[in-house]
Amino acid sequence: MMLASTSTSSTSSFSSSSSSSSSSSSSSSRIHTLLCLLCLLSRLGLGRYIEDNDATDGLYSLLSLDQKRDAEDFVFRRPLRCLDMLATEGQFTFMAAQPQLACAAFLIGEPSEVISLELSDVTVDCSAGDFIKIFDGWVLKGEKFPSSQDHPLPMRQRYTDYCSSGAPGGASRSSQNVAMVFFRIHGPDSGFTLTVRKLHNPFPCNIMSQSPEGSFTMVMPHQHRNCSFSIIYPVELQLTELSLGQRQAWRGCTGSGDFVELLGGNGVDTSKMFPMADVCFSPRGLTQMRMGCDNSVVRLVSSGKYISRVSFRYRLLGRSELPQAQENSLDDFCTVE
């Protein structure tokens, strides 16, 4: 099983708020989270989300949510957009005013959460080519997170298709803190309601960070699997603790079967990213690296023979701190220092 604990700086969007925090502090934290998510969408190449949707609508929704949460059994509700990012629980209703042929909703939770999704009030026409599909992970520019090498399920089992499931209502639960809903609707006044719930995950694995800075610890006791922590920002990364349980010295880390990979690239599929470094022994002091990539990943590979543990912290690089590309380097490749 996979165990993990998190500890983030005060500016990290997934820091837990204490029960004594004031309402204004909570509102400020949620506004910061929304702005981080808008920035995240832009970095993922989904700038149309920001262009087509007024960000202040989301800000006012979060402020209103704080005021209403005092009411017992309150359920947050708002319309679902054709291209949307959801980071809170609630009910989100999509109603087509015109044909919408390529829509997607990205859902994200905190690192220690999984996402439960349920469809209701569905009025789409599957026979006319409409569909609603839930994916266990994210799909971006043809790449999938988590990759097929890291996800416990085969690819076909990661899709829940409302039109072919045969069930009266589509329900799904993610394996990590991100999920996605694809939908296509031809007829006006057709749509559905999506209910989103966050569930605690005591064994988080394959995490997409909401924030460009924070810290995290992954612990994998005697389980043969791979887990990635993905940061879609250029960051300075520091390994602060590493324990892989092995005592034998290996010439190459991959031969040991238990190691940590630092990966960089411009997509989200870790199997297509470039290995920046392999670490399979406890470093003396801090192992630090600046990664000028669109996506920076810490990947823990475990043979299942030992209890493996890696702790790290990361922060966003300023423009002046970005590593300089070398001459004759590929334009689409990131640089490292």
Side-chain angles (χ1 to χ4, degrees):
M1 292 186 296
M2 176 75 182
L3 303 174
S5 61
T6 62
S7 173
T8 60
S9 63
S10 60
T11 56
S12 173
S13 66
F14 52 75
S15 297
S16 298
S17 299
S18 66
S19 58
S20 61
S21 296
S22 66
S23 175
S24 60
S25 175
S26 179
S27 298
S28 176
S29 175
R30 289 190 176 88
I31 291 173
H32 173 75
T33 298
L34 177 67
L35 293 176
C36 283
L37 293 176
L38 291 175
C39 180
L40 181 62
L41 276 172
S42 179
R43 291 194 59 80
L44 294 174
L46 300 175
R48 185 165 65 86
Y49 173 87
I50 300 175
E51 296 171 4
D52 292 351
N53 300 285
D54 186 358
T56 57
D57 175 57
L59 295 177
Y60 286 125
S61 295
L62 290 176
L63 291 172
S64 177
L65 177 60
D66 273 337
Q67 297 169 355
K68 294 178 180 178
R69 271 183 171 159
D70 293 336
E72 189 175 356
D73 299 327
F74 169 73
V75 177
F76 177 63
R77 294 179 174 88
R78 77 157 171 84
L80 182 69
R81 304 177 178 97
C82 178
L83 184 60
D84 215 335
M85 171 73 89
L86 305 178
T88 187
E89 294 181 318
Q91 291 186 341
F92 305 88
T93 300
F94 182 83
M95 188 63 63
Q98 58 186 6
Q100 298 285 359
L101 305 183
C103 297
F106 296 83
L107 298 102
I108 189 167
E110 296 188 0
S112 60
E113 293 177 333
V114 293
I115 302 170
S116 171
L117 302 174
E118 185 174 354
L119 296 171
S120 60
D121 301 326
V122 181
T123 57
V124 302
D125 187 353
C126 297
S127 63
D130 294 356
F131 66 75
I132 307 172
K133 297 181 181 181
I134 299 174
F135 181 69
D136 187 3
W138 276 3
V139 181
L140 291 162
K141 299 180 180 179
E143 295 189 3
K144 297 177 176 65
F145 177 86
S147 71
S148 57
Q149 294 181 359
D150 293 347
H151 201 281
L153 297 176
M155 191 60 66
R156 58 182 177 81
Q157 293 185 20
R158 295 171 64 180
Y159 286 93
T160 301
D161 189 340
Y162 172 83
C163 286
S164 62
S165 64
S172 183
R173 177 174 171 174
S174 70
S175 302
Q176 62 288 311
N177 75 321
V178 293
M180 192 171 181
V181 180
F182 304 90
F183 53 99
R184 179 173 64 197
I185 299 177
H186 291 83
D189 300 324
S190 298
F192 61 92
T193 293
L194 179 69
T195 299
V196 179
R197 296 183 179 90
K198 306 288 185 65
L199 306 175
H200 177 66
N201 179 15
F203 314 118
C205 179
N206 297 322
I207 297 121
M208 184 75 71
S209 176
Q210 293 185 26
S211 173
E213 59 184 66
S215 60
F216 198 77
T217 295
M218 290 191 289
V219 181
M220 192 180 304
H222 301 292
Q223 189 173 30
H224 179 43
R225 69 178 304 187
N226 308 324
C227 287
S228 298
F229 189 95
S230 183
I231 312 159
I232 307 185
Y233 300 91
V235 296
E236 179 182 79
L237 184 68
Q238 294 179 337
L239 296 185
T240 56
E241 181 185 357
L242 179 64
S243 176
L244 300 176
Q246 58 192 6
R247 298 179 180 178
Q248 181 178 354
W250 295 87
R251 179 175 299 179
C253 284
T254 55
S256 69
D258 295 271
F259 59 97
V260 171
E261 280 186 311
L262 303 182
L263 305 173
N266 296 327
V268 296
D269 188 335
T270 55
S271 67
K272 298 179 180 179
M273 298 177 71
F274 187 81
M276 303 297 189
D278 293 341
V279 184
C280 53
F281 58 90
S282 182
R284 295 180 179 178
L286 294 177
T287 296
Q288 181 171 308
M289 180 178 292
R290 290 183 177 181
M291 305 174 70
C293 310
D294 285 347
N295 191 11
S296 307
V297 171
V298 179
R299 185 170 183 256
L300 180 61
V301 179
S302 175
S303 66
K305 298 178 181 179
Y306 311 102
I307 298 176
S308 300
R309 177 187 180 96
V310 60
S311 298
F312 55 92
R313 60 175 176 255
Y314 55 98
R315 69 171 183 86
L316 180 67
L317 289 177
R319 184 177 297 273
S320 62
E321 297 178 295
L322 291 173
Q324 297 297 315
Q326 299 178 357
E327 293 184 8
N328 301 322
S329 63
L330 296 177
D331 291 338
D332 61 349
F333 189 68
C334 54
T335 53
V336 177
E337 288 182 355

